[in-house]
Amino acid sequence: MSAAPFVDTIAEAYRAAAPALPGAEQRAVAARRQAAMEAFRRHGLPNHKLESWKFTSLSGLEKQAWSLPANEGGIDAARIEAAALVSADSYRLVFINGRLNAAASRLNGLPDGATLLPLAQAGDALADVLAGEGDDKAAILAELNAALASDGLVLRLQDGVVLDKPVEILAFGAPALVNLRHLVLLGRGAQATIVEGYRDSGIAAPGWTNIFCRIGLGEEARLTHVRVQAENPAAYHAALGKVSIGAGARYAHVSLQAGGNVARHELHAEFAGSGAEADLQGLVLARGTAHLDHTLYLHHAKPDCRSNQLFKHVVDDRGHAVFQGGIRVAPHAQKTDAQQLSRTLLLADRAQIDTKPELEILADDVKCSHGASIGDLDPQQVFYMKARGIGDDDARRLLLSGFAYEVIAAVPEGNLRDKVEALVEDWLKAGAA
Amino acid sequence: MLEIKNLHATVDGKEILRGIDLVIKPGEVHAVMGPNGSGKSTLSYVLTGRDGYEVTEGDILFNGRSILELEPEERAREGIFLAFQYPVEIPGVANATFLRSAVNAVRKHKGLPDMDAMTFLKTAKAKMKQLQMDEKFLQRAVNMGFSGGEKKRNEVFQMAMLEPSLMILDETDSGLDIDALRIVAEGVNALRSPERAALVITHYQRLLDYIVPDVVHVLAKGRIVKTGGKELALELEAKGYADIVADAA
Ligand SMILES: Nc1ncnc2c1ncn2[C@@H]1O[C@H](COP(=O)(O)OP(=O)(O)O)[C@@H](O)[C@H]1O
Ligand SMILES: [Mg+2]
């Protein structure tokens, strides 16, 4: 370990990588990246002194020197196919070492009015895509991402365009610092399904994946957004998503976190118009010493919107799950319907969950509720299964998959849901072994 | 087949079964009747090995072998089936998935290969038809949102699929209307055979009109206080438990 402060080593990595980052030749882009790097350097990593980072520490990152991946790298085609979450009938962007792997990707055949690009090819739009989220330490990883983003997804649908196939982002962790930045903008009445998969490249060295994703939904737009984080057990993964939901639009999000050493998926969603809906569901599967965090912040800024959060956690060994669910209902956001439920099964004495609902309700005519349950498997259910001849391991596995199923069922039916279900089943089976 | 010898059992340190002797031979149907709280369900749980039900004295032999040391799943695989008084709801697990796991666990124990999905489905549908159950119950989560009667039917359906040698029915009649009772009883009767025995626990005589027992026992305060033929059930119906229990005391 070098004696230089952590932020300086990152700044050094930035200097080394900057000339090869997309948009390096554009002055506005270069200036934006430079400013973002300066902001990160000022603030450093978010830490427990911040309310929203009380339960999750990234200090492990400071124990090693980080650099950006040296090259594009390659991954076995069979491994890519095995990790894919959507069948051949999809658009697909495969990122290896933070760069698009064109050979494994599929971007052709888009309907009129649809733009689908890797960020590195965003050209003049790059400066916009890298636009900042403000000088806020709690969101400083988004600035780090703006400084270092090497690629990502840019999807734009014009009004009324319904994307015929899901878009899959398939990213493989690298033993380095990888920054992907995604932008999804749906025009009025446009519809799409996007699937983000962060998978294990098979290289067990610790990596650090830092994701920023911005989503804007126009009026009456529909987006289904499935996210799967199943990186290797040494990996650090931090993601921040910002979602703006237009009037009458619907955002359905399902997040599965089943890998990584320390991983956090933070999502801020805001209703930008009335009559909109958001369904946010998540499943955490934590074993070993995995620390997996969902931090949500849902802003009911407009009246007549409905939101539902359902997050489930299965924690074994010395795993640690975190669920922070913030809901803010603005003073004029009457007729808000906001529900939140967190459910947790702790399977071992040293398994942990920190669950923190945070409701700030400033309107009076609203329906809001939240609840949290924490427990072990129900002994009555276990006995019922055993009384039918089912052994202890199988009974527990069946009950756990039953527990997880409610979230899995929120994934669109078909090939994608089957894959997500198989991933969950594999995780459960690995525990029984 | 089943031999219960001087069985004493406690729940939470409280003695509930206080010396039960009972022998059931292959092909026989025994009814156990008794007032609420007499220990009928406790007996069924002790037989199936539920956690927290501790045998403090006596023994249970099944096919000549003590089963006290066997886990619930081992007893089930050996052929003991309990139709629960209160079937348990299991969210997120399809009835078919659950039952196929059970069928294959029992088959494995018998040295048989797994039943493939097609055969399972065909067999299950045939049995459901007998019990006048809609096939959609296969895809629904185990007992979730089932009515009381549907749950009881589901118990008998599971029993028909698992083909146990000892069928223990705990108040399978409760919550059933007369038509459902008849269908369920027919389902049980269809399973009666010279090799198979049944222990029918009930509070009311009504069920025994349909599943006619060879022997009737009256359980009170954790003891069998009277044993007789099927006419004992009628006597109980006429006189009520109070007299018989008092006579025996
Ligand atoms: N889990 C338990 N803990 C303590 N007492 C119990 C428990 N289960 C049953 N009992 C007691 O055991 C006695 C017998 O109950 P049970 O076997 O359910 O009777 P039955 O089925 O004949 O109505 C009752 O007094 C009941 O209160
Ligand atoms: Mg009872």
Side-chain angles (χ1 to χ4, degrees):
Chain A
M1 194 186 139
S2 69
F6 174 72
V7 288
D8 291 341
T9 66
I10 300 291
E12 187 48 45
Y14 164 71
R15 266 191 299 279
L21 289 173
E25 70 292 349
Q26 298 179 41
R27 280 179 59 179
V29 169
R32 165 70 190 124
R33 287 191 187 271
Q34 181 68 41
M37 192 64 231
E38 287 308 320
F40 177 74
R41 205 168 177 171
R42 262 194 323 278
H43 287 293
L45 290 170
N47 59 35
H48 65 274
K49 289 178 194 148
L50 297 159
E51 186 64 25
S52 63
W53 285 89
K54 231 166 54 184
F55 301 118
T56 295
S57 169
L58 297 175
S59 62
L61 289 171
E62 299 180 357
K63 296 199 178 89
Q64 81 180 79
W66 294 97
S67 59
L68 272 59
N71 56 45
E72 287 173 15
I75 286 184
D76 201 41
R79 187 172 193 106
I80 293 174
E81 284 313 313
L85 295 162
V86 194
S87 69
D89 206 17
S90 66
Y91 302 104
R92 183 191 281 171
L93 290 87
V94 176
F95 297 103
I96 299 169
N97 282 357
R99 301 273 181 179
L100 185 81
N101 181 303
S105 299
R106 285 193 297 264
L107 299 167
N108 294 332
L110 287 161
D112 286 346
T115 312
L116 178 62
L117 293 170
L119 175 113
Q121 292 168 26
D124 292 347
L126 251 178
D128 269 355
V129 180
L130 296 178
E133 296 300 313
D135 191 23
D136 171 11
K137 179 157 182 161
I140 200 64
L141 292 177
E143 287 297 277
L144 178 66
N145 177 284
L148 297 175
S150 55
D151 219 330
L153 159 88
V154 177
L155 172 68
R156 281 201 173 91
L157 299 183
Q158 288 174 16
D159 291 355
V161 174
V162 175
L163 206 56
D164 52 337
K165 295 183 278 197
V167 178
E168 176 168 19
I169 299 165
L170 189 55
F172 292 90
L177 168 53
V178 170
N179 292 268
L180 296 174
R181 195 172 185 94
H182 310 308
L183 175 70
V184 175
L185 295 176
L186 268 53
R188 187 192 171 101
Q191 296 184 21
T193 297
I194 60 173
V195 179
E196 284 177 86
Y198 298 94
R199 309 302 301 267
D200 186 351
S201 62
I203 303 165
W208 174 10
T209 305
N210 183 35
I211 307 294
F212 178 76
C213 176
R214 183 153 27 145
I215 294 172
L217 305 185
E219 287 178 26
E220 308 285 336
R222 299 258 176 288
L223 179 67
T224 300
H225 177 197
V226 177
R227 190 175 199 287
V228 172
Q229 184 279 108
E231 294 207 33
N232 77 54
Y236 287 82
H237 183 107
L240 176 62
K242 297 246 173 165
V243 185
S244 166
I245 307 166
R250 173 152 196 266
Y251 177 60
H253 181 58
V254 184
S255 169
L256 167 65
Q257 295 208 70
N261 171 17
V262 178
R264 167 161 163 136
H265 173 37
E266 179 173 343
L267 189 73
H268 295 221
E270 174 168 347
F271 290 115
S274 63
E277 297 179 291
D279 285 293
L280 312 178
Q281 316 217 39
L283 176 65
V284 162
L285 304 174
R287 72 157 57 94
T289 56
H291 179 112
L292 307 179
D293 174 330
H294 276 117
T295 293
L296 309 174
Y297 181 79
L298 192 54
H299 189 187
H300 278 263
K302 299 284 182 206
D304 285 313
C305 292
R306 181 191 66 77
S307 69
N308 184 37
Q309 302 175 22
L310 172 68
F311 281 75
K312 291 194 164 186
H313 314 87
V314 177
V315 192
D316 204 351
D317 305 330
R318 296 171 63 185
H320 189 159
V322 174
F323 174 72
Q324 305 190 90
I327 297 174
R328 182 177 194 271
V329 181
H332 53 277
Q334 302 296 2
K335 306 282 181 203
T336 286
D337 179 346
Q339 313 295 325
Q340 179 189 92
L341 184 61
S342 152
R343 293 192 60 201
T344 305
L345 293 177
L346 296 179
L347 304 180
D349 288 345
R350 301 186 70 179
Q352 262 191 79
I353 170 98
D354 284 301
T355 166
K356 188 177 85 175
E358 208 169 1
L359 276 66
E360 188 188 3
I361 299 167
L362 304 173
D364 49 18
D365 184 12
V366 299
K367 239 171 66 188
C368 294
S369 79
H370 71 93
S373 71
I374 300 172
D376 194 353
L377 289 172
D378 180 349
Q380 286 206 49
Q381 294 177 346
V382 175
F383 174 65
Y384 188 68
M385 293 208 154
K386 292 171 123 190
R388 298 296 177 249
I390 300 172
D392 199 56
D393 284 351
D394 284 345
R396 295 176 74 83
R397 195 166 43 75
L398 275 173
L399 289 171
L400 291 174
S401 60
F403 177 77
Y405 188 75
E406 201 179 350
V407 174
I408 293 169
V411 173
E413 209 172 344
N415 170 270
L416 172 61
R417 190 193 288 173
D418 295 346
K419 280 280 189 144
V420 171
E421 196 168 359
L423 211 144
V424 171
E425 291 301 323
D426 285 350
W427 189 92
L428 294 175
K429 280 198 189 107
Chain B
M1 168 170 288
L2 181 71
E3 210 174 323
I4 302 176
K5 294 195 214 168
N6 186 32
L7 184 67
H8 291 252
T10 59
V11 183
D12 285 346
K14 194 171 116 194
E15 184 164 64
I16 308 290
L17 301 184
R18 301 186 302 151
I20 292 188
D21 290 280
L22 183 67
V23 177
I24 304 182
K25 297 204 172 70
E28 289 182 350
V29 171
H30 288 230
V32 171
M33 303 184 69
N36 282 329
S38 56
K40 303 185 296 296
S41 292
T42 303
L43 175 61
S44 75
Y45 292 143
V46 170
L47 290 173
T48 48
R50 185 169 191 158
D51 271 354
Y53 289 72
E54 203 187 332
V55 173
T56 50
E57 212 183 318
D59 205 352
I60 304 169
L61 306 183
F62 185 62
N63 296 327
R65 202 158 69 95
S66 173
I67 58 168
L68 292 185
E69 298 302 316
L70 296 186
E71 291 293 316
E73 62 270 36
E74 294 168 317
R75 300 183 194 199
R77 292 170 194 163
E78 289 286 337
I80 298 177
F81 183 97
L82 168 62
F84 282 57
Q85 180 175 5
Y86 303 108
V88 178
E89 299 186 349
I90 303 177
V93 179
N95 221 5
T97 309
F98 164 64
L99 194 47
R100 204 170 144 228
S101 302
V103 166
N104 285 333
V106 171
R107 287 175 67 88
K108 189 171 175 191
H109 181 73
K110 291 182 182 161
L112 297 170
D114 274 8
M115 188 184 266
D116 65 78
M118 286 290 282
T119 314
F120 172 81
L121 213 60
K122 232 177 87 185
T123 317
K125 285 180 177 175
K127 309 254 184 208
M128 292 179 104
K129 204 167 165 192
Q130 275 178 6
L131 290 163
Q132 302 189 20
M133 274 175 84
D134 196 309
E135 287 173 11
K136 69 171 193 276
F137 283 103
L138 278 176
Q139 292 323 315
R140 285 185 40 190
V142 179
N143 294 322
M144 288 296 292
F146 290 25
S147 72
E150 285 162 352
K151 284 180 182 166
K152 294 306 176 75
R153 245 183 251 214
N154 199 33
E155 293 293 289
V156 176
F157 165 53
Q158 292 174 32
M159 191 165 80
M161 289 297 291
L162 292 169
E163 303 185 317
S165 50
L166 176 64
M167 314 185 275
I168 305 169
L169 305 173
D170 190 359
E171 304 220 12
T172 299
D173 49 339
S174 66
L176 293 184
D177 62 32
I178 196 75
D179 291 330
L181 182 70
R182 197 175 37 75
I183 294 161
V184 163
E186 277 168 14
V188 175
N189 286 331
L191 289 167
R192 287 182 74 161
S193 80
E195 297 81 40
R196 203 171 267 149
L199 183 64
V200 180
I201 295 170
T202 180
H203 185 70
Y204 300 104
Q205 184 268 336
R206 197 176 67 146
L207 178 66
L208 304 179
D209 286 342
Y210 296 94
I211 305 174
V212 181
D214 301 298
V215 185
V216 175
H217 308 275
V218 180
L219 189 68
K221 297 193 179 128
R223 282 203 186 95
I224 291 177
V225 294
K226 194 161 185 176
T227 294
K230 58 175 183 272
E231 64 291 342
L232 179 56
L234 293 167
E235 191 185 331
L236 278 170
E237 181 84 348
K239 292 215 240 168
Y241 286 108
D243 284 356
I244 291 197
V245 172
D247 285 357

